[in-house]
Amino acid sequence: MKKIRIQKLQRAAVLALPFLLCSACQTRVYDFSKLAGEIVPDKQIPVVSGKASSMQRNEGIELSFDGNPATHYHSLWRNLGAGYFPITLDYFFEGADTLDYMLYSPRTDGNANGNFREVEVWILPDSGQLYKYGDFDFGGRPAPSRVDFTPALAGAKGIRIAVKSGAGDGQGFASCAEMEFFKKNSQTCNLKEVFTDESCSELRKGVSRNSIDKIDNLFFRELASYVADGKANDEFRVQEYTAYISPAVTAQKNKISTYGLWDNPTGIFARKGEDIVICAGEMEKERPALLIQPPEFGFAIPVKTEYHELHSGVNKIKAKSEGLMYIAYYTSSGAEKPVKIQILTGQVSGYFDMEKHPADQWEQRLAKATYPYFDVKGKYSTLNFETEAFRAYVRDPRTLNRKFDDVVHREQVFMGLAKYGRQPKTRLHFQVAKLFPSWVGAYAASNYMGFRAGDQKKILSPEVSNYEAMIGHLWGIAHEAGHVHQTRPGLRWFGTVEVTNNIFSMDVTTSLGFPSRLFAELLPAEKSTADYVRKNNRYQKALYDIVESKIAHAVCEDVFCKLVPFWQLKLYMHDVRGKDDFYADVHEAVRINPDPTGRLGSNNNGQCQLEFVRIACDVAQVDFTDFFAKWGFLTPVNLGHNSIVITQSAIDEVKKYIRDKKYPPAPDNLYLIDDENYKTMF
């Protein structure tokens, strides 16, 4: 009996051995941050001298190869003269080495002025004449841009960068934080012999444990074992990232401000000083970049945000700051294929994608989040607020979708982006801002809208059907999104920056069933006079302040009173006449027409106002001359040439244009229309 029992135990042990080996395999821990030192960096070819055809004092070309990205070269600030571009930047090397690629890093101080757009790259060989290598478009992006030399340049003594255009006012400028040149290291592992692609997330068929053990480089040997063990399956560590047309390109085409740069969250955050190891698959000509967003987010976001160029294969990046990571894949066309990327280091915290993750997973995913800030990705918006705020105020992510996505989409429809096939694929970004000036509430900046941490409850909480809730959060979201959507300059001239964006706020809030702010928001009594009865809401105050006082619209200081005639056009055209595309068509006319320039003594801002009068009449096929005259649009005004100037001769020209069209006149009492009487007065 004893012998039989021993045999049974032996057989059990033999049967258990594969299980134990498998369990050991499954519990193996891979720490690629410790293995990052095994990755051999590319050799940087030092620049020994440089020469620029244009440079601002104290911002010479030497600052673009000093190894300090906080300093930068800048061309002359005075850029209005003919022949400003091209600007040539010459970089010279000691000896004649082999060059595989160059890397242009834009300035890091938060100012986009001078970010390269169109450039030519020229080569100075060891012997022979300077010759042109190729044309490139860096798109004015804040991310680094890389040019690969294929085949590698052997014996190059120098490189010339001819900058043909750059970002900035006027003609633009040229600036550069660092211009670097590299020779690739001799790779100790042929990735394509081991992995199906350079994201290194799948092994090729036939790659065995035995062949993995024969890989010389410890990092690649461990990486292959990691994949063989089935570890490369985390939904956040391995993802495909979509290419989007650059927000700057879309903004220029649509004459609006820039959408966000956070369309590709990774769900992973970096710690300061950590080696971030990224394996990126096959890329096309324009490449993605890694964006690291530190928690000190706010007015200084561009100063703090960190960009690193990515290339196919293994990338090792030293994180300069802590922050959530994103793949900034923004190109001139947005037509590039998605790039598969595996992020081997950093800490997973996760994000929530409205279009990918079921709503019932919201609390589960939020509970697993370990970073103080959390990303939510919708169809039209991206959000980044405090993780604890999401936990406290949001039980159902669909409430966020209704609030933010709906606002953005409604505004896109209202302004004709949907009708005319102009909707950006990128999203508007809403962000809690830690760096917040005391004098600012919510605000719209380039690429994002910022909100105070203390306002997260009213911003994130489900909507409540009352007026105070509408003013507290929904209006503010639509107002800031409206700033991005202001079609400029034709619908955003001097004195209307805080006016025409509120056409969107009015449309969003009233279409969702809230009362009109112009009608329902009662004004406090300033003094007990007979006039007060006529000024207890914005319609009455506007009539008194502008129409009855016979002042120019531009002179009025109350932005809500200035909003009244814009909204009255919406009530009449959309709600009375059923022409729901009126404002969509007005915006499109502004987009496709050349920007107004001053004529007949009026300056550009004045001409924008007069052009709006003309466009409104043309789109409606209605003569609104009397309506606009009452509201002071056709009143001469001179607030200074840097503000707004409208002359009588320019007014007469617009009046004649409209008169010659022989449009039927608008109703005489149109200036009295409001959110209640429009149903019965016509």
Side-chain angles (χ1 to χ4, degrees):
M1 291 291 292
K2 189 174 183 181
K3 185 177 181 180
I4 294 172
R5 184 178 299 169
I6 290 172
Q7 288 175 339
K8 287 182 177 179
L9 288 171
Q10 287 174 336
R11 285 198 300 270
V14 171
L15 292 171
L17 183 59
F19 173 77
L20 291 172
L21 290 173
C22 185
S23 298
C25 177
Q26 290 175 347
T27 57
R28 181 176 176 182
V29 176
Y30 292 89
D31 188 346
F32 289 103
S33 60
K34 292 182 179 178
L35 294 167
E38 300 293 326
I39 302 171
V40 181
D42 292 338
K43 177 186 176 182
Q44 184 171 353
I45 307 302
V47 175
V48 295
S49 64
K51 184 173 64 175
S53 63
S54 167
M55 56 185 174
Q56 183 62 28
R57 183 180 180 185
N58 298 323
E59 292 182 326
I61 191 172
E62 67 278 0
L63 297 181
S64 68
F65 56 91
D66 64 353
N68 181 5
T71 64
H72 63 262
Y73 154 81
H74 199 290
S75 58
L76 279 171
W77 292 349
R78 181 176 291 182
N79 67 345
L80 299 179
Y84 186 77
F85 286 109
I87 293 168
T88 59
L89 306 176
D90 293 332
Y91 297 91
F92 302 100
F93 315 117
E94 186 175 16
D97 214 324
T98 298
L99 298 182
D100 284 291
Y101 64 94
M102 57 166 276
L103 187 64
Y104 160 69
S105 295
R107 59 195 295 177
T108 61
D109 63 353
N111 192 328
N113 277 352
N115 287 356
F116 290 0
R117 289 180 174 160
E118 300 168 291
V119 302
E120 295 175 354
V121 176
W122 293 70
I123 311 300
L124 177 61
D126 187 27
S127 60
Q129 297 296 314
L130 186 74
Y131 69 91
K132 183 177 176 180
Y133 180 79
D135 295 285
F136 303 88
D137 188 351
F138 295 166
R141 295 184 296 273
S145 295
R146 170 168 158 161
V147 174
D148 283 300
F149 301 121
T150 307
L153 300 175
K157 289 198 305 184
I159 299 288
R160 168 171 290 182
I161 313 298
V163 185
K164 296 163 65 178
S165 61
D169 295 333
Q171 296 186 62
F173 306 92
S175 67
C176 175
E178 290 294 306
M179 191 71 74
E180 299 168 298
F181 304 87
F182 294 91
K183 178 182 180 180
K184 291 181 180 178
N185 70 70
S186 54
Q187 189 61 264
T188 56
C189 173
N190 187 335
L191 299 181
K192 292 183 179 179
E193 289 182 357
V194 181
F195 304 99
T196 56
D197 72 327
E198 291 181 306
S199 72
C200 304
S201 55
E202 295 180 58
L203 294 176
R204 293 178 63 86
K205 288 182 180 180
V207 174
S208 64
R209 293 280 182 179
N210 185 50
S211 60
I212 290 173
D213 291 339
K214 294 178 180 178
I215 297 174
D216 291 334
N217 184 277
L218 177 60
F219 172 82
F220 292 108
R221 187 165 68 245
E222 287 292 286
L223 177 55
S225 295
Y226 172 84
V227 177
D229 288 346
K231 299 289 187 180
N233 60 1
D234 184 279
E235 69 165 309
F236 299 114
R237 290 209 178 275
V238 181
Q239 298 186 66
E240 281 199 342
Y241 294 96
T242 301
Y244 296 93
I245 191 168
S246 169
V249 174
T250 305
Q252 186 177 25
K253 289 180 178 178
N254 289 340
K255 293 187 179 181
I256 59 174
S257 188
T258 46
Y259 272 41
L261 298 168
W262 294 266
D263 297 279
N264 282 321
T266 68
I268 302 173
F269 65 92
R271 293 193 174 100
K272 185 176 181 179
E274 182 178 11
D275 283 323
I276 303 302
V277 181
I278 294 176
C279 299
E282 182 181 350
M283 299 178 185
E284 298 187 42
K285 186 176 180 180
E286 296 187 60
R287 299 182 176 89
L290 175 70
L291 183 159
I292 302 177
Q293 177 185 307
E296 293 80 16
F297 194 102
F299 264 29
I301 164 206
V303 177
K304 297 289 183 179
T305 300
E306 189 177 326
Y307 285 96
H308 300 275
E309 180 268 349
L310 297 177
H311 57 84
S312 294
V314 180
N315 300 257
K316 185 175 74 169
I317 295 161
K318 181 74 71 174
K320 298 172 186 173
S321 58
E322 171 199 322
L324 285 165
M325 296 191 287
Y326 305 81
I327 301 300
Y329 195 9
Y330 300 100
T331 70
S332 56
S333 69
E336 289 77 5
K337 295 177 182 177
V339 173
K340 190 175 185 180
I341 289 176
Q342 178 174 201
I343 304 176
L344 292 166
T345 57
Q347 290 71 48
V348 172
S349 184
Y351 64 86
F352 193 87
D353 188 330
M354 297 281 194
E355 296 189 285
K356 184 169 69 174
H357 299 140
D360 59 9
Q361 292 184 7
W362 168 255
E363 292 191 0
Q364 173 191 351
R365 290 179 177 274
L366 202 56
K368 291 181 179 179
T370 57
Y371 195 70
Y373 299 87
F374 190 75
D375 288 302
V376 177
K377 179 179 177 180
K379 186 174 182 179
Y380 302 104
S381 63
T382 50
L383 317 177
N384 184 267
F385 289 89
E386 291 177 354
T387 307
E388 288 302 325
F390 279 128
R391 288 172 178 157
Y393 308 127
V394 182
R395 294 289 176 265
D396 185 344
R398 287 169 291 198
T399 62
L400 292 175
N401 190 59
R402 284 194 296 269
K403 186 177 295 185
F404 292 92
D405 265 11
D406 278 9
V407 165
V408 177
H409 185 245
R410 285 175 185 274
E411 293 193 5
Q412 290 178 346
V413 170
F414 184 81
M415 66 186 297
L417 295 182
K419 176 179 178 179
Y420 291 98
R422 293 177 172 270
Q423 283 176 283
K425 300 299 183 185
T426 52
R427 297 159 178 82
L428 279 190
H429 185 67
F430 301 86
Q431 171 80 47
V432 64
K434 195 171 182 180
L435 301 176
F436 223 106
S438 59
W439 49 272
V440 174
Y443 65 92
S446 294
N447 302 118
Y448 78 104
M449 280 140 285
F451 298 88
R452 292 180 183 277
D455 290 338
Q456 289 177 102
K457 181 177 181 179
K458 67 182 181 182
I459 292 295
L460 299 176
S461 294
E463 294 171 13
V464 181
S465 296
N466 60 56
Y467 180 72
E468 288 74 20
M470 180 271 285
I471 297 300
H473 60 255
L474 190 60
W475 179 280
I477 295 169
H479 173 96
E480 302 307 338
H483 274 307
V484 177
H485 286 141
Q486 280 176 303
T487 308
R488 59 207 67 193
L491 269 165
R492 187 183 180 269
W493 61 85
F494 178 84
T496 65
V497 173
E498 296 294 339
V499 177
T500 53
N501 63 320
N502 280 333
I503 308 173
F504 295 108
S505 303
M506 286 290 293
D507 180 68
V508 167
T509 53
T510 56
S511 63
L512 291 175
F514 290 100
S516 163
R517 183 169 185 173
L518 295 176
F519 195 87
E521 186 177 26
L522 299 180
L523 304 177
E526 297 173 3
K527 55 185 177 179
S528 181
T529 66
D531 291 333
Y532 175 68
V533 177
R534 305 167 65 190
K535 295 171 64 175
N536 68 333
N537 67 29
R538 298 292 181 181
Y539 281 108
Q540 294 168 351
K541 185 175 187 295
L543 285 170
Y544 180 80
D545 287 359
I546 302 176
V547 177
E548 295 182 26
S549 299
K550 292 183 170 54
I551 66 169
H553 183 267
V555 173
C556 180
E557 296 182 354
D558 187 323
V559 295
F560 290 102
C561 288
K562 295 174 80 167
L563 172 64
V564 168
F566 291 100
W567 186 245
Q568 287 180 322
L569 287 173
K570 184 270 179 187
L571 292 174
Y572 180 65
M573 293 303 301
H574 289 228
D575 301 302
V576 174
R577 299 191 59 182
K579 304 293 186 182
D580 291 340
D581 287 348
F582 170 73
Y583 262 115
D585 296 339
V586 166
H587 279 84
E588 181 65 6
V590 171
R591 286 188 289 263
I592 65 176
N593 283 320
D595 293 342
T597 55
R599 297 185 66 247
L600 300 173
S602 296
N603 66 355
N604 292 8
N605 285 300
Q607 201 65 37
C608 283
Q609 180 171 303
L610 296 177
E611 279 288 284
F612 174 73
V613 172
R614 181 189 65 77
I615 289 171
C617 294
D618 280 343
V619 168
Q621 301 285 283
V622 172
D623 185 345
F624 288 120
T625 304
D626 183 62
F627 170 81
F628 282 118
K630 283 185 169 67
W631 282 111
F633 282 72
L634 300 175
T635 300
V637 63
N638 188 339
L639 298 181
H641 201 74
N642 291 328
S643 301
I644 186 167
V645 178
I646 299 176
T647 62
Q648 186 61 53
S649 58
I651 293 169
D652 292 340
E653 182 187 47
V654 171
K655 283 183 174 181
K656 180 181 185 305
Y657 171 89
I658 297 168
R659 185 170 60 249
D660 290 347
K661 291 287 186 177
K662 301 188 184 307
Y663 295 138
D668 291 340
N669 60 347
L670 181 58
Y671 73 102
L672 297 173
I673 192 173
D674 62 37
D675 294 276
E676 286 196 352
N677 66 24
Y678 78 88
K679 300 172 184 177
T680 58
M681 75 180 295
F682 299 110

